[in-house]
Amino acid sequence: MKKPLPLLLLLIGLNSCRDMSSIENQHRNVPYAQESEAQRMDIFIPEGKGPFPAVLLIHGGGFKSGDKKAEYDLAKQLVFNDFVAVCVNYRLSGEAVFPAAVHDVKSAIRFIKGNAKKYTINPNRIGSWGSSAGGNLSAMMGTSSGDDFLDGKVGKFLNQSTQIQACVDWFGPIDFSKMMEEADKLGFGDSFDVAIESKYLGVDVTDPKHTDLVQRANPTTYIDRTDPPFYVQAGSQDPLIPYLQSENFAKALGTTFGEEKVHFDLIKGAKHGGAEFSDEENVKKIIFFLNKHLK
């Protein structure tokens, strides 16, 4: 039997329609940098005076495919609950390898902070939310603020911090060096490889000579006590990303800055995304978390 939802959670409103035309204040394909056509974002703003907290929605696709439009359902839920929703594209691995995608999303954070007044955003209340490859990038946003290598020099707002105040990671790959071992441990190693992660880094992630680079792409490497609260979710039957990636990441976060700032859900029976994540009850949990830490 499921526990009843908190009253405040029950009061959170959701709107399942993917059509974004009902959002009057929106800005499509806004360039946040000039190095690539991929460096574009869609910004959806609630009605009212604001300023509003903002959440960057980071699409998945194995670092090699995907588009910001995949996040429109979640964007509408966020706008309906008085968040500015920012759906961001980034350079994919076929165009540029790591850390290009990290540089891009961090540039997007700096851009919305630098244009906070224009887009009715509270620059001190920014969150990130991503799934799969986007989960890795979201986790990077949460743990690596201030790291020169990952902050990069993309965009015009280099004086802005990349620090965020809340982070959601849906089943993101975390430590590429352990994925094969964890897949074997969970019983699906025969059908598993890390070709996608290797393409993202531009090297064979199983080769020990690339250990340093692999760990630079691991959000765990950068954890410290200044990191924001995290909500991490994974499916117990995920055949693409071993759920131990998420579980061990959440444990590392809790060990460093306290379990009270980390919430981890292992969703029984769920695979790599799907209805168990996107259903109304689960999305309400995430929005409740974002309300708590960004408002």
Side-chain angles (χ1 to χ4, degrees):
M1 180 176 180
K2 294 182 178 179
K3 295 180 180 179
L5 296 173
L7 176 60
L8 287 176
L9 203 161
L10 288 169
L11 293 175
I12 291 171
L14 295 183
N15 188 325
S16 62
C17 179
R18 191 170 180 174
D19 178 19
M20 307 300 283
S21 62
S22 62
I23 301 175
E24 293 186 6
N25 194 353
Q26 57 178 273
H27 306 264
R28 304 282 186 110
N29 291 316
V30 177
Y32 59 84
Q34 306 298 328
E35 297 181 14
S36 168
E37 286 297 315
Q39 294 164 330
R40 299 290 185 270
M41 59 170 65
D42 297 335
I43 304 171
F44 301 98
I45 303 171
E47 296 180 5
K49 288 183 63 176
F52 303 101
V55 178
L56 268 75
L57 293 167
I58 311 168
H59 70 79
F63 304 106
K64 62 185 178 64
S65 63
D67 186 83
K68 52 188 168 58
K69 292 180 180 179
E71 304 305 313
Y72 280 6
D73 279 344
L74 295 180
K76 191 157 190 178
Q77 314 309 343
L78 288 167
V79 172
F80 194 60
N81 284 279
D82 294 326
F83 293 90
V84 173
V86 182
C87 302
V88 60
N89 274 350
Y90 49 89
R91 284 173 288 174
L92 302 173
S93 59
E95 178 180 0
V97 298
F98 172 82
V102 178
H103 286 172
D104 286 356
V105 182
K106 284 176 175 278
S107 177
I109 291 173
R110 291 193 294 257
F111 179 90
I112 62 172
K113 288 185 176 184
N115 290 279
K117 186 174 182 180
K118 178 179 180 179
Y119 297 113
T120 329
I121 291 170
N122 182 340
N124 300 312
R125 293 290 183 267
I126 307 292
S128 67
W129 183 355
S131 58
S132 194
N136 170 279
L137 294 171
S138 182
M140 279 294 204
M141 299 307 107
T143 64
S144 69
S145 174
D147 182 87
D148 289 340
F149 174 71
L150 292 182
D151 275 1
K153 302 293 183 183
V154 174
K156 297 181 179 179
F157 295 90
L158 300 179
N159 62 320
Q160 297 288 339
S161 166
T162 59
Q163 182 74 45
I164 62 173
Q165 286 70 52
C167 185
V168 180
D169 164 20
W170 272 1
F171 46 89
I174 300 295
D175 186 346
F176 303 160
S177 69
K178 294 182 178 178
M179 293 179 71
M180 295 290 289
E181 172 189 336
E182 291 172 348
D184 285 340
K185 186 175 181 178
L186 295 176
F188 63 93
D190 290 345
S191 60
F192 188 82
D193 64 45
V194 286
I196 288 174
E197 290 74 20
S198 293
K199 184 176 181 181
Y200 172 57
L201 265 62
V203 301
D204 180 356
V205 301
T206 66
D207 189 333
K209 72 182 180 183
H210 300 306
T211 296
D212 287 347
L213 182 63
V214 172
Q215 291 311 308
R216 281 188 165 192
N218 179 353
T220 312
T221 299
Y222 308 94
I223 296 173
D224 65 37
R225 295 182 65 83
T226 68
D227 293 341
F230 269 76
Y231 202 138
V232 181
Q233 290 188 319
S236 68
Q237 301 301 313
D238 191 330
L240 301 181
I241 306 294
Y243 73 77
L244 294 173
Q245 292 275 296
S246 296
E247 184 175 79
N248 291 333
F249 179 53
K251 287 179 180 177
L253 290 165
T255 298
T256 301
F257 54 66
E259 293 182 1
E260 68 279 0
K261 285 179 62 177
V262 184
H263 193 101
F264 173 67
D265 290 338
L266 181 62
I267 302 178
K268 293 183 179 180
K271 296 184 178 180
H272 196 67
E276 294 89 346
F277 292 90
S278 60
D279 72 17
E280 181 174 318
E281 185 173 321
N282 194 59
V283 172
K284 280 185 175 183
K285 291 179 183 178
I286 305 300
I287 293 179
F288 181 80
F289 166 82
L290 294 171
N291 273 328
K292 179 179 179 180
H293 296 292
L294 297 180
K295 291 184 179 179

